[in-house]
Amino acid sequence: MSKLRFRVVETAFTKKAIEVVTPTERPSEYYAKYVFNKEKMFKYLSSKVYQQLVDVIDNGAPLDRSIANEVAAGMKKWAIEMGVTHYTHWFAPLTEGTAEKHDAFIEHDGKGGVMEEFSGKLLVQQEPDASSFPNGGIRNTFEARGYSAWDPSSPAFIVDDTLCIPTIFIAYTGESLDYKAPLLKALRTVDKAATAVCKYFNPDVKKVIAYLGWEQEYFLVDEGLYAARPDLLLTGRTLMGHDSAKNQQLEDHYFGAIPTRVAAFMKDLEIEALKLGIPVKTRHNEVAPNQFELAPIYEECNLANDHNLLIMSLLRKISRRHGFRVLLHEKPFKGINGSGKHNNWSLGTDTGILLMAPGKTAEDNLRFVTFVVNTLMAVYRHNGLLKAAISSATNAHRLGANEAPPAIISSFLGKQLTQVLQHIEESTTDDLVTLAGKQGMKLDIPQIPELLIDNTDRNRTSPFAFTGNRFEFRAVGSEANCASAMIALNAAVAEQLTLFKHDVDELIEKGEPKISAILDILRRYIKICKPIHFDGNGYSEEWRMEAKKRGLDCETSVPVIFDNYLKPETISMFENTGVMSEKELEARNEVKWETYTKKIQIEARVLGDLAMNHIIPIATKYQSELIDNVYKLQGIFDHNKAIKLSSKNIELIEDIAKHTQYIKEHVDTMVAARKIANKIESEREKAIAYHDTIAPALDEIRYHIDKLELIVDNQMWTLPKYRELLFIR
Ligand code: ADP
Ligand code: MG
């Protein structure tokens, strides 16, 4: 498909690094070339159908099936002109990643030949043979059907020779089996709830859009070295490996010059992303060596999420073109920074107002404070759930580690916003009260004048930070589907805004003026949600103690954190907002526990195999060489002198014996623990057993392997070391 030209240039390392030759067109000319966006819809559809489809996309109008045939015909015409031969329903099942099954456009033409065919029926709905996707028991075999259904709000796009149609994936009985279906419901419910609250301030608002701007972090490793590390290949992270003498101590990688080979890869990636309509904007080196970040301009949440899923597959594909492998795992290397995916989130109106941004008038600012405080309330009331939404076996290695957000959800507000909230809380009347701000700014209530919220006041340790015109949910993992976090956050905020509206209306009905009623309720909420607000150092031990006292969820075991999805307040929140039913939540938790178990199980097997087949044999071989040396010295020198000369080698022989023995013992114990855990029926209990008894063994075994790595002859050590993996030349 791609018209890109490449030039192969030689580098010292691979001898075949690829330099991307920039297309002759400008980005604005090839942007969204492979997307069936409004421009193409206009060209390939009748104006009536175009209007109807735009109404579906922009205003959430119900999709009239009668237009499907014409839309399908238009899409097919465009796709075939683009050289496409296949189509697929593209969806995000409950695994991390996307699924697709390609079908060719061809059908029999009745005259012994074939013709290109794509009907509305095939566009709107399909029944993928997908019985082996995780479903948590929702699809018993007799009703094992699952449907994928077209999501017109996210445009179809072309990858290689295939037209990809974004779809939701649901069971025959209607339960969602994917991330997109509940995400669309959460976005709809937050739209309704927020629009209702906006009407207090601006009756013209008809729709509220949730925005998402993700920042994707990732590592690159050389493909050849990657292939020589079975642990990276099979688990996405290094299960062993001693620190490199140099890693990130000097912090010389952060925002540093991007290595040529990597720059070529990034350029290629960005061109492909832009052609798919992903507005990638920012790229830079991250803190750790070989770690990078990519961020687009924020978009409507559902679209942004599809774009993130697409970028993850583009990263995988394009990295290989350049002799790299991309690591999206949250913690591929021990002892150096992990990768996250900050989710910048905000709400905005169809009238163009960002609701999390202060404005120019008093009413603007009251609206701003209203949305901020309600967000804080939602995050406070559902802090355990939000943590569950970002928890996984892989992200567990990153959270709580010293450079990542702690496994406690709290919110950073910064000095100015803190003062504003404090001021509202303490004010007893609605009269003018003034507060000196940073620049001597005056804040009047309810006549709140221009607020200048300082967004340079950054606190990198906060998992949920206010950053000027949005909140930044930083605890999300690099490998995760952002939808998980966005479903929980948007649904929780929707529930909270509905409660707020109810509380305010109650006061208004009693005769209190609107502004005064809003302020009264905000005052009450500011007091209630105080425990979630924390501007200090999230990495400190004191915060852990303090958070516990404040009643925030401090659980660190991932399988237990998942229980938050089944707490009565979570179930009622998801049911009242219409986002998910109790049955769906139960089924999804089964999948979460099962996935957790499988991930640890695979790691345990891989490490066990490597320890027994690679590490112990190599260490023993080296030990034999040392023993051989001790014996041989005795042939040259008298016994006492030989022993004296061998004393250091004898120490090494003993060390190796100690470590190999320890490794063998612990592998045996780990295998035994696995056998016990595997017999447990309940997915929850099994995951807990894996967390409590098997995961810790991985670290213990690793400790001894890493010690051996320092002792054993470098030439014998077959696995590439951190110092090789981490530095691209
Ligand atoms: P930083 O690394 O300093 O947080 P970046 O520029 O890397 O900043 O990323 C910020 C992300 O936040 C971008 O994707 C940007 O488009 C997005 N963003 C900016 N404003 C908003 C907003 N109001 N709502 C949602 N996302 C936003
Ligand atoms: Mg950020």
Side-chain angles (χ1 to χ4, degrees):
M1 222 37 259
S2 168
K3 301 275 187 303
L4 260 192
R5 284 182 302 123
F6 300 108
R7 204 165 34 219
V8 175
V9 288
E10 297 222 320
T11 71
F13 198 54
T14 61
K15 297 232 167 224
K16 63 164 183 60
I18 283 174
E19 195 188 335
V20 181
V21 180
T22 316
T24 46
E25 305 142 286
R26 284 193 301 272
S28 59
E29 289 165 327
Y30 59 79
Y31 181 74
K33 183 173 171 183
Y34 296 143
V35 184
F36 194 68
N37 57 7
K38 284 183 189 158
E39 182 197 330
K40 274 107 186 182
M41 288 172 197
F42 188 76
K43 186 168 164 201
Y44 288 88
L45 305 177
S46 69
S47 66
K48 187 168 149 256
V49 168
Y50 170 78
Q51 291 300 342
Q52 274 179 283
L53 190 56
V54 167
D55 197 32
V56 172
I57 296 167
D58 288 351
N59 308 318
L63 177 75
D64 187 344
R65 278 203 171 218
S66 65
I67 69 166
N69 271 332
E70 197 186 315
V71 178
M75 260 189 208
K76 185 190 78 178
K77 185 162 189 293
W78 168 70
I80 287 174
E81 283 174 16
M82 297 290 287
V84 164
T85 52
H86 288 65
Y87 63 92
T88 182
H89 273 197
W90 182 79
F91 58 97
L94 296 173
T95 52
E96 313 284 68
T98 51
E100 51 203 77
K101 182 190 110 198
H102 298 187
D103 284 303
F105 282 129
I106 56 165
E107 292 295 341
H108 286 299
D109 67 358
K111 303 185 201 81
V114 292
M115 57 185 197
E116 275 83 20
E117 184 60 60
F118 184 53
S119 65
K121 209 174 109 231
L122 293 173
L123 165 67
V124 170
Q125 182 179 322
Q126 286 192 27
E127 194 188 323
D129 177 21
S131 49
S132 51
F133 287 116
N135 64 78
I138 275 183
R139 297 165 71 201
N140 301 327
T141 36
F142 63 90
E143 52 182 40
R145 277 180 284 174
Y147 292 113
S148 53
W150 179 35
D151 165 21
S153 64
S154 180
F157 55 90
I158 294 172
V159 174
D160 300 328
D161 60 0
T162 304
L163 172 69
C164 302
I165 299 148
T167 56
I168 57 166
F169 183 44
I170 53 171
Y172 176 62
T173 40
E175 288 88 2
S176 51
L177 297 172
D178 70 345
Y179 284 106
K180 192 190 256 288
L183 177 63
L184 289 173
K185 290 180 188 168
L187 295 173
R188 196 187 163 90
T189 189
V190 81
D191 164 19
K192 271 205 227 144
T195 303
V197 170
C198 278
K199 300 243 190 252
Y200 287 138
F201 309 99
N202 181 353
D204 296 338
V205 172
K206 287 194 191 61
K207 187 176 154 84
V208 169
I209 304 122
Y211 291 112
L212 166 63
W214 43 261
E215 301 164 50
Q216 179 73 53
E217 291 181 337
Y218 60 92
F219 280 88
L220 287 176
V221 291
D222 187 87
E223 192 166 35
L225 299 174
Y226 172 89
R229 289 286 308 221
D231 48 353
L232 270 184
L233 201 94
L234 298 172
T235 73
R237 73 176 179 113
T238 53
L239 298 174
M240 59 186 76
H242 200 278
D243 284 350
S244 164
K246 174 182 191 289
N247 49 45
Q248 65 184 48
Q249 308 94 319
L250 300 176
E251 300 198 336
D252 50 355
H253 188 69
Y254 194 47
F255 282 24
I258 297 171
T260 324
R261 211 179 137 201
V262 177
F265 153 75
M266 284 180 170
K267 191 157 131 189
D268 194 4
L269 174 74
E270 284 167 11
I271 293 167
E272 294 298 320
L274 289 167
K275 286 181 182 168
L276 282 167
I278 309 173
V280 288
K281 187 170 172 71
T282 310
R283 60 176 176 212
H284 60 78
N285 287 2
E286 264 301 326
V287 177
N290 278 11
Q291 194 188 25
F292 307 94
E293 182 185 295
L294 172 80
I297 302 169
Y298 67 92
E299 300 176 283
E300 184 279 323
C301 188
N302 173 43
L303 183 61
N305 192 48
D306 280 352
H307 281 168
N308 182 250
L309 293 169
L310 256 179
I311 242 345
M312 290 197 282
S313 52
L314 275 183
L315 277 163
R316 292 190 182 101
K317 183 164 119 187
I318 298 188
S319 57
R320 299 190 68 175
R321 226 186 247 171
H322 294 262
F324 290 128
R325 284 294 191 133
V326 69
L327 306 179
L328 293 174
H329 192 290
E330 283 80 5
K331 192 81 173 175
F333 303 102
K334 194 182 156 199
I336 58 176
N337 280 12
S339 300
K341 177 153 54 200
H342 295 178
N343 277 203
N344 294 271
W345 169 87
S346 68
L347 298 172
T349 66
D350 57 344
T351 57
I353 298 164
L354 274 182
L355 295 169
M356 305 290 170
K360 288 202 160 36
T361 67
E363 288 225 324
D364 283 351
N365 286 324
L366 187 58
R367 181 212 64 221
F368 159 65
V369 172
T370 296
F371 279 91
V372 165
V373 170
N374 277 293
T375 303
L376 291 176
M377 274 294 275
V379 174
Y380 171 56
R381 293 177 50 232
H382 294 287
N383 71 89
L385 170 67
L386 287 169
K387 185 163 77 180
I390 55 90
S391 288
S392 65
T394 53
N395 204 16
H397 294 286
R398 170 177 163 260
L399 295 181
N402 72 354
E403 77 294 340
I408 301 165
I409 301 294
S410 65
S411 187
F412 168 87
L413 297 179
K415 214 168 27 215
Q416 284 174 296
L417 187 52
T418 305
Q419 282 177 350
V420 170
L421 297 192
Q422 196 179 354
H423 184 60
I424 295 174
E425 185 193 347
E426 286 164 6
S427 65
T428 46
T429 69
D430 304 332
D431 301 333
L432 299 184
V433 194
T434 56
L435 172 88
K438 202 172 175 186
Q439 297 97 10
M441 156 190 86
K442 292 207 158 125
L443 177 80
D444 302 322
I445 293 175
Q447 258 57 49
I448 309 173
E450 193 163 354
L451 272 184
L452 293 167
I453 294 291
D454 180 6
N455 76 7
T456 58
D457 197 0
R458 295 293 186 88
N459 177 336
R460 311 301 300 188
T461 70
S462 177
F464 197 83
F466 179 74
T467 49
N469 63 1
R470 61 190 187 269
F471 281 93
E472 196 169 325
F473 195 3
R474 299 202 180 114
V476 182
S478 49
E479 198 175 30
N481 185 325
C482 308
S484 178
M486 289 297 110
I487 292 164
L489 178 61
N490 286 298
V493 170
E495 179 202 44
Q496 177 56 44
L497 288 168
T498 306
L499 288 173
F500 173 75
K501 172 101 176 37
H502 174 267
D503 288 348
V504 172
D505 285 352
E506 209 169 57
L507 294 185
I508 294 175
E509 270 160 36
K510 284 185 191 148
E512 203 173 323
K514 184 177 76 181
I515 299 291
S516 155
I518 291 173
L519 277 166
D520 272 347
I521 300 299
L522 288 180
R523 218 173 266 133
R524 193 196 297 168
Y525 286 0
I526 291 169
K527 285 196 180 74
I528 298 174
C529 70
K530 242 185 202 160
I532 201 70
H533 175 202
F534 178 64
D535 278 9
N537 177 7
Y539 300 166
S540 69
E541 189 49 40
E542 297 84 73
W543 168 233
R544 269 168 237 267
M545 315 284 281
E546 165 71 16
K548 213 180 179 102
K549 267 193 241 152
R550 293 189 188 184
L552 299 178
D553 190 310
C554 296
E555 179 59 55
T556 56
S557 159
V558 169
V560 180
I561 290 172
F562 290 152
D563 287 348
N564 279 297
Y565 271 105
L566 297 175
K567 285 197 306 204
E569 60 268 37
T570 308
I571 295 173
S572 85
M573 184 277 281
F574 277 127
E575 291 205 324
N576 291 340
T577 51
V579 173
M580 277 189 278
S581 67
E582 183 169 0
K583 186 175 169 197
E584 284 172 305
L585 289 166
E586 278 172 358
R588 294 167 91 93
N589 255 29
E590 291 293 300
V591 175
K592 285 181 207 297
W593 284 314
E594 201 182 324
T595 307
Y596 180 88
T597 298
K598 283 183 183 160
K599 293 243 165 156
I600 309 286
Q601 194 175 53
I602 292 169
E603 289 189 348
R605 286 185 181 151
V606 172
L607 187 65
D609 288 355
L610 283 176
M612 300 308 295
N613 309 331
H614 275 67
I615 308 302
I616 293 186
I618 293 165
T620 311
K621 196 166 160 202
Y622 180 56
Q623 189 192 38
S624 302
E625 281 195 6
L626 293 172
I627 294 170
D628 206 32
N629 180 270
V630 174
Y631 275 115
K632 284 179 178 157
L633 283 172
Q634 293 185 44
I636 309 175
F637 303 106
D638 68 62
H639 180 75
N640 285 348
K641 184 161 184 196
I643 293 295
K644 205 169 154 208
L645 286 175
S646 304
S647 67
K648 286 294 164 198
N649 277 355
I650 291 172
E651 265 176 41
L652 287 177
I653 291 165
E654 279 175 350
D655 279 351
I656 293 173
K658 198 177 72 194
H659 292 305
T660 49
Q661 211 153 331
Y662 199 95
I663 291 169
K664 171 79 173 76
E665 271 169 28
H666 275 72
V667 169
D668 288 347
T669 319
M670 184 173 76
V671 172
R674 231 158 57 206
K675 282 192 179 136
I676 296 172
N678 290 345
K679 290 208 182 75
I680 301 174
E681 282 272 317
S682 142
E683 291 297 348
R684 178 181 182 275
E685 300 309 317
K686 196 193 286 183
I688 291 176
Y690 265 86
H691 172 273
D692 293 352
T693 63
I694 292 140
L698 289 168
D699 289 335
E700 295 198 29
I701 295 167
R702 177 196 186 125
Y703 175 83
H704 292 276
I705 295 179
D706 291 355
K707 289 282 178 223
L708 284 174
E709 188 189 306
L710 289 183
I711 299 174
V712 173
D713 179 0
N714 192 52
Q715 286 182 41
M716 290 185 178
W717 199 261
T718 54
L719 301 167
K721 296 180 174 177
Y722 272 24
R723 64 169 182 250
E724 290 141 358
L725 290 168
L726 277 168
F727 295 92
I728 287 169
R729 287 181 284 165

